[in-house]
Amino acid sequence: MRKVWDIPGGVHPPENKAQSVTRPIASAGIPDVLIYPLSQHIGAAAVPLVEKGDLVLKGQMIAEAMGFVSAPVHAATSGRVTAIEERVIAHPSGMHAPCIVIEPDGENRWIEHSGLEDYTSATPAELLSIIHDAGVAGMGGAGFPSAVKLSTRPDTPIHTLIINGTECEPYITSDDMLMRERADEIVRGTEIIAHILGVSSIIIGVEDNKPEGIASLRSAAEHSAGIEVISFPTKYPSGGEKQLIQILTGQEVPSGGLPSALGIVCQNLGTTVAVHHAVDRGEPLISRIITVTGDSCREPANYEVLLGTPASHLLELSGQQPELCERLIMGGPMMGFALESAEVPVVKTTNCLLAPTRAELPPAAPQQACIRCGICAEACPASLLPQQLFWYATAKEYEKLEAHNLFDCIECGACSFVCPSNIPLVQYYRASKADIRRHHLDHERSERSRARFESRQQRIEQEEAEKQARRQARREAAQARAKEAGTKQPSRSDAAPDAADVIRAAIERSQAKKQAAAAQSQAQADMGIEPDSAQDAIDRAMAKRAAAAAAPKLSPVEQLQNNLASVQSRISKTGEKLEQARTTGEDTVSILESSVAKLEAKRDQILAEIEELGDS
Amino acid sequence: MLLSTPTSPHAHTPLDTSGLMRLVILATLPGVAALTWFFGWGTIVNIAFASLIALACEAFALYLRGRRVMFYLRDCSALVTAILLGIALPPGSPWWIIAVGIVFAILIAKQLYGGMGYNPFNPAMAGYVVLLISFPLEMTRWLSPLGTFEGSVPGLMEALQLCFGGGFDAHTMATTLDVFKQGAGLMVADVWQQNPQFGRWGGLGWEWVNIGFLAGGCYLLHRGVFTWHAPMSMLIALTAMAAVFYDGGSSASGGSPLMHLLSGATMLGAFFIITDPVSSAVSTRGRLIYGALAGVLVYVIRRWGNYPDAVAFAVLIVNFAAPFIDHYTMPRTYGHNRGGSD
Ligand code: SF4
Ligand code: SF4
C-alpha cells in the first residue's frame, strides 16, 4: 500500500453528497436549444466553421481551435444553426460572449466517425492530435486543453500519471457516479493516457468518502498493470492539483511551476472517459456528467448532459422550484461561481449545478473587522497567512503581497469559509492578483520600450561619435598642413603620422563603442528582449491590436493569453533563427539557444498562471 | 429573473466574531462565580460598571469616527474588554478606578489605534497596567478571601457601597503572591502556616478561581475559539520555570509550580488574555513562542520584579514582541524551498 501524506490546513464543510447519489445517471435528453460559447472558459477563443442557417450533424466540428491553448467545439446533436451571437456564458463575471446557437432537429444523426482499432499501434503524436481534434479539455477546474497538458517536452521526462478522482467539493458527485457506473471506461482512458506519456506509475487518487466508487474502480483496474487506486482521508481541498500531488507523493510543485517539473502529469477523472471515447470510438467531447442538486430541487441527481444545454433545462428535469432559490451556482459551494441567469449553457468544465434554498446557503453576513484570530491561517492548504494578505490587500501593498506569496494562493476559499468575521478573503486576493498582473504587464511593456529607446539612443551617439572623430581628424590634418606650410620647419613626414594617429584613435574609440553596443544587444537577447527591430514592430503591432481588441478591459486570462501568443511567436521566430544559425554555423547559436530556453521557461510560467487562474 | 451573484465560497462556518466573543463571555462564568464566592459581590459590581462605561466609550468613539455604532457594538469586543478588566481589578474597587481603567483601555489602547483588530496591545491589560502604575495602593488592596476571618464576604449592597460610597473598612489582606514576595527567609511550610490566606495548593480561594478559569478555557478550546498552542505553551513555560527555581523548601525558592499555576491571574492570563487574537502572534509556531515567552516573563516578574502579580506586564511585553515573532515564524508556503527566499 502506498503511503499517503497529509496536507496542512484544510476544512470539513458539510458534504451534502448523499442527496444526489440515490439515482443512477440519467440522460438529460435533447433540449430545445444548444448554445456553444466560442471561448470555453480557458484558452483562445475558437473560430466558427459554420454560418447561420447551416445544418450540422452530431459530432460535427462547428468551431476550430485557434492558437496554442485552444480547443475546437463540436455540435452535440444534429440540427440547424440559428444564430451566432452574444449570449450570457458561464463565467464568474456573468459576461456575454459570442456563441453558436443550434436548434436540434431531434434526429440526433451522427457525423461519420470511427475509432482506432488498437491505440497501442498509434504514436503519441497521433493520439494527441486525435485528442486535440476531439476537443477534449480538462473536465474539472480550468478546462485546460488536454492535448496541451499531455504533450511533454523531451527535457522533462514524466514518470507518474495522477488521475484526480478526489472530488473534494461538497455536493458534487459526478465523478463518484462515474466511478460507480463507468469504471471500465475510466480505466481504459487512463491506459491510453499512460501510453501517450509512456509512464509506468499510474495513481488514481480518491477521497475515502466514496467507498462504492473506490470498490468499483479497484475491481475494474484489477487486470490493468500499474494502476493503483489510492484512497485518503476526506478533507477540502485535497482535490487541488498541487494538494493531490502532495498527498500522493509528498512532493510539492515548485512555486510558479508545473507538475511536470516533478515528472508528474495530473488529469481529471472525467477527462479519461473523454479520451477513451475520442480514441476508441472517434467521438468528440459532446456530453458530460453533471450533478444537479440543492434543496430547491425535488430530485437531485446526476445527468448525462449534452454540452450546450441551458442550465434551466436541467433544473426543470430535477424538479427545481425557482421560487425557493435565489442563487444558482455552477460548480460547488467552495469554488463555484454564481450565475446571473438560468439560461447559461453548460460547458466542458461544468461538473455541478447547485440550486440551494436560502436556508441552505444563507447570503454572506456583513463583513466585520479582522480580529487576527489566525483561524484562516490554520485552514490554508498552501500555508499562507491569509490575514496578512488581507491586510496588505486592503492597503494595496503589492510588494508585500508578493513577498507573502499571494500568487501561491489557489483560491480554494478555505480561509473565507472559516473566517468568523465573514471577510470575503478570496475576493480580495482575486482583485489584488488582477491588479498586480496588470501592473507587471504595464511594467514589462515599458521596460521593452525603454530598451528599444536606449539602443536607438546608443546608435545615434555612436554615429555622432564617429562623425566627430572624422571631423577632428580632418581638422588636425589641416592644422598640421597649415603649420607645415607656415613654418616650413617640420617635415611633411612628421605631420602625416600625427593625423594617422588621430584617425586610428578615433577608429579604435568607435570600435570599442560598437563592441559595447554589440555586447549590450547580446545581453538583451539573453534577457529575452529581441534586439531585432522587425520583431519590435511586430510586438508593437500585436500590443496595439491587443489593446484595440481590449477596449473593454481585458481579463487577466486574456492578457496572459496575449502574452502567451507573443512569447509563442517569439519562440518560433527565435527557433527559426537558431536553425539558420546552426546550418550556417554562426557563433550566435549558443546565445539563441539560451534565449529559446528562456522563452520556453517563460511560456511554461504563463501556462502555469493561466491554469491557476482557470482553476479559480 | 436576475439571480444574486456573490463570489465563492458560498458556504460559511456558523461561527462568527460576535458569536466567538459571546462564547468568551460565557466561559468567564465559572471563574467569576469563584471570585464572587470567595471575595463577595465586588467582582460583579466591577464587571457591571465597567461594561456600562465600556459600551458608552465604544459608542462615543465609533460615533466620532463615523462608524455604524450599533453594528460594531454588536461584535461584543468592548464587553469582553470590560469583563476582563472587571475581573482583574480588586473586588470593591472605587468607581473612578474602574472608569479610568476602561476609558484608557477603550479610548486609547483600542480606538486610538484604529479600533477592533488594529490594537497592538490587549486593551484590558493596558488599562490594568496604567492603573497599577498610577494607583498602586488601591490596586493591591484585595479583600480577604472567605474563610480567613470571622463573618461573611461583602454582599451586593456592601459591594455597591465599596464601589460608590468610598468607605473601605472591609477586611483586606495581602494576596498569596504578595506574602511570598515579602516573606523571604521563611520556609514555605511556615509561610503556609502563618498566613491564613494560603489554601491547599495556592492562595485560599485563588485556587478555585484559577480552576474556574481553567474550566472556562477548556470549554473555549473545545469549541475551537482558539487553539491550544499559546495557553499550553505559557503554562508549560511557567511550570518549567517554577520547577527549575523551586528547591522544595525555602520560600526564597519562589513557590511550587502548582502554586504558580493556581495563583493570581495565571489561568485568566493563559486562556483569556494571551489568547486575545488581535494582539498575539498569528502563526501556530509563532503562538508557541509567544506563549512560552509570556510564561517565562510571568515567572520572572513575579519572582524578581517589583509587582506581586505579573500577568499584565508580561502580556504587554509579549504583545510588543508579537510582530517580531510573526516576522521570524512565517510558515513556509507550499512550493517554496525551506530557505524561504525561493
Ligand atoms: S479568520 Fe478572518 S478574522 Fe480571523 S485572522 Fe483570518 S481574516 Fe482575520
Ligand atoms: S484561498 Fe488562498 S489563502 Fe485562502 S485558504 Fe485557499 S490558498 Fe489559502
Side-chain angles (χ1 to χ4, degrees), chain A residues 242 246 251-255 325-329 332-341 361 366-374 378 382-385 387 391 404-405 408 413 416-422 426-427 430, chain B residues 1-13 15-18 20-21 68 71-72 74-75 116-118 224-225 227 229 276-284 287 326 329-336 338 340 342:
Chain A
K242 292 175 171 182
Q246 189 175 17
Q251 289 177 289
E252 296 177 13
V253 180
S255 174
C325 169
E326 56 194 38
R327 70 176 134 168
L328 194 56
I329 298 162
M334 299 299 286
M335 290 181 80
F337 51 92
L339 300 178
E340 222 168 64
S341 101
L361 288 183
Q367 174 178 345
Q368 287 170 293
C370 168
I371 55 170
R372 295 170 51 75
C373 59
E378 241 149 86
S383 301
L384 297 167
L385 291 173
Q387 71 277 54
W391 188 281
H404 278 72
N405 305 323
D408 290 297
S416 308
F417 174 75
V418 294
C419 174
S421 284
N422 300 307
V426 184
Q427 201 174 315
R430 278 196 203 108
Chain B
M1 179 184 68
L2 222 53
L3 299 155
S4 75
T5 55
T7 56
S8 67
H10 305 277
H12 196 269
T13 47
L15 264 192
D16 66 2
T17 296
S18 326
L20 289 180
M21 295 290 170
R68 284 184 295 157
F71 177 75
Y72 284 99
R74 232 173 291 150
D75 69 23
M116 171 81 150
Y118 291 83
V225 172
T227 59
H229 304 87
D276 164 29
V278 178
S279 51
S280 89
V282 287
S283 68
T284 303
R287 284 187 174 168
D326 284 342
T329 54
M330 268 209 6
R332 185 185 62 85
T333 307
Y334 181 105
H336 287 256
R338 290 188 186 274
D342 182 6

Side-chain angles (χ1 to χ4, degrees), chain A residues 528-589:
Chain A
I529 299 170
E530 277 285 339
D532 190 342
S533 63
Q535 182 57 44
D536 279 348
I538 292 172
D539 277 359
R540 258 202 311 277
M542 288 215 329
K544 260 195 206 141
R545 227 193 9 228
K553 248 195 252 155
L554 280 182
S555 77
V557 178
E558 287 162 332
Q559 285 184 349
L560 282 170
Q561 269 159 12
N562 285 341
N563 263 16
L564 185 63
S566 116
V567 170
Q568 196 65 31
S569 86
R570 275 156 71 191
I571 290 178
S572 55
K573 290 242 168 60
T574 323
E576 277 165 29
K577 271 190 218 153
L578 178 59
E579 281 307 304
Q580 257 177 21
R582 275 201 185 119
T583 50
T584 57
E586 274 175 52
D587 51 1
T588 50
V589 169

